[in-house]
Amino acid sequence: MHTRRDLLNRSAQLAGMLASLGLWPGLAQAQAQAGAYNAAAFEAKSLAEVMKALGGSAPVESKDVSLIGPDIAENGAVVPVAAATTLPGVKCLLLLVEKNPAMLAAVFEPSEAVETHIGTRVKMSQSSPVFAVAMLADGRVLYAVKEIKVTLGGCGG
Amino acid sequence: MADPMRIRAQANGDKTTVRVLMSHEMETGQRKDAAGKLIPAWHIQQVSAALNGKTVLTAQWGPSVAKNPFLQFNLKGAKPGDKVAITWVDNRGERRSDEATVV
């Protein structure tokens, strides 16, 4: 049985190794500076990979978690979204955009002094389901999903 | 050095709404320039918020957070006069901290 800490350590080590080998140029410096940045999670392409990189169990859909966002976003470059849950003991709140090149957008780690309702703005390359995932201290991983339609993609160029 | 953040911390009863607008390019690493070369990723990786010097929220961000990122959260138990400090670090190792007073 692997604990979350083991997995996190291992992925950090692996990222460090890859970075020191120069496989991820530019990352070595960032790793040295940022320390705890979980690069593996931000490279992941699916929800399962993200959960693996973060050491969480398989997510379950739940009414207690919500994703707040528009039904239709006119501009995919700035889509206001928020993740919220009413449950206590939240370790992490995640925002994920399924059809982006890398799925994970943001990981929030709120302390007791912060309400578990955190908003930001994300880029969306195309219309896609957007996930809010809450990782709880008791090991449960719950999610909510909402389809957001984008009329103008945010990753053009 | 990046431009300063705009931080507003507004107390409303026992909860304080904090809104932060950071000034950052948030380049994804997916886009190409006019010559067809990939523009390297340049984005904020870590954000932390502190209330009176005590960290209350940390975040890790990928490149899909929008340009000039916006962050909103609610603090429990903050009073007018308390200091809210926000710090970010990007993948080039640049960092910036700004502070605001709860009103």
Side-chain angles (χ1 to χ4, degrees):
Chain A
M1 181 67 195
H2 296 303
T3 63
R4 181 179 132 89
R5 182 169 299 169
D6 282 339
L7 283 167
L8 277 178
N9 276 341
R10 203 163 307 146
S11 63
Q13 278 167 8
L14 184 66
M17 267 156 51
L18 288 173
S20 62
L21 288 169
L23 290 178
W24 289 350
L27 206 73
Q29 183 202 357
Q31 281 280 328
Q33 293 279 346
Y37 187 68
N38 194 328
F42 284 98
E43 304 263 309
K45 301 278 184 267
S46 71
L47 188 54
E49 281 179 52
V50 170
M51 292 328 296
K52 207 168 125 196
L54 293 171
S57 53
V60 182
E61 188 156 10
S62 163
K63 284 201 305 289
D64 297 320
V65 179
S66 49
L67 182 97
I68 300 124
D71 295 324
I72 297 177
E74 276 186 20
N75 183 355
V78 269
V79 185
V81 289
T85 173
T86 49
L87 297 167
V90 174
K91 268 196 312 193
C92 280
L93 275 177
L94 278 53
L95 281 171
L96 304 104
V97 183
E98 185 173 289
K99 290 186 185 160
N100 272 6
M103 200 177 167
L104 185 59
V107 180
F108 298 101
E109 290 172 56
S111 70
E112 290 297 313
V114 173
E115 281 184 11
T116 45
H117 179 150
I118 301 172
T120 185
R121 292 177 188 151
V122 297
K123 286 180 262 205
M124 293 177 64
S125 59
Q126 55 181 304
S127 300
S128 159
V130 179
F131 291 84
V133 179
M135 296 172 73
L136 305 181
D138 61 10
R140 281 186 301 161
V141 180
L142 306 172
Y143 75 89
V145 62
K146 177 174 179 153
E147 170 86 26
I148 296 182
K149 287 196 167 33
V150 173
T151 44
L152 182 68
C155 297
Chain B
M1 192 67 177
D3 291 334
M5 282 176 249
R6 288 163 59 189
I7 307 172
R8 274 184 80 85
Q10 221 157 15
N12 184 7
D14 58 350
K15 84 179 186 186
T16 300
T17 304
V18 182
R19 297 186 186 86
V20 189
L21 195 59
M22 306 167 203
S23 171
H24 201 284
E25 226 23 71
M26 297 302 280
E27 193 58 61
T28 58
Q30 310 276 341
R31 296 196 313 149
K32 292 180 174 144
D33 64 15
K37 284 200 309 193
L38 270 184
I39 306 171
W42 179 30
H43 61 91
I44 293 176
Q45 286 193 317
Q46 290 185 307
V47 182
S48 67
L51 176 65
N52 294 328
K54 185 172 165 282
T55 301
V56 289
L57 173 70
T58 59
Q60 297 177 40
W61 283 358
S64 55
V65 172
K67 179 177 175 170
N68 296 332
F70 172 75
L71 172 67
Q72 176 169 357
F73 57 93
N74 292 326
L75 284 168
K76 289 183 260 188
K79 300 179 298 294
D82 285 353
K83 300 274 188 216
V84 177
I86 311 283
T87 306
W88 57 250
V89 184
D90 70 18
N91 64 332
R92 292 183 186 171
E94 283 175 41
R95 57 177 62 228
R96 163 135 210 136
S97 296
D98 285 292
E99 197 178 68
T101 308
V102 176
V103 289

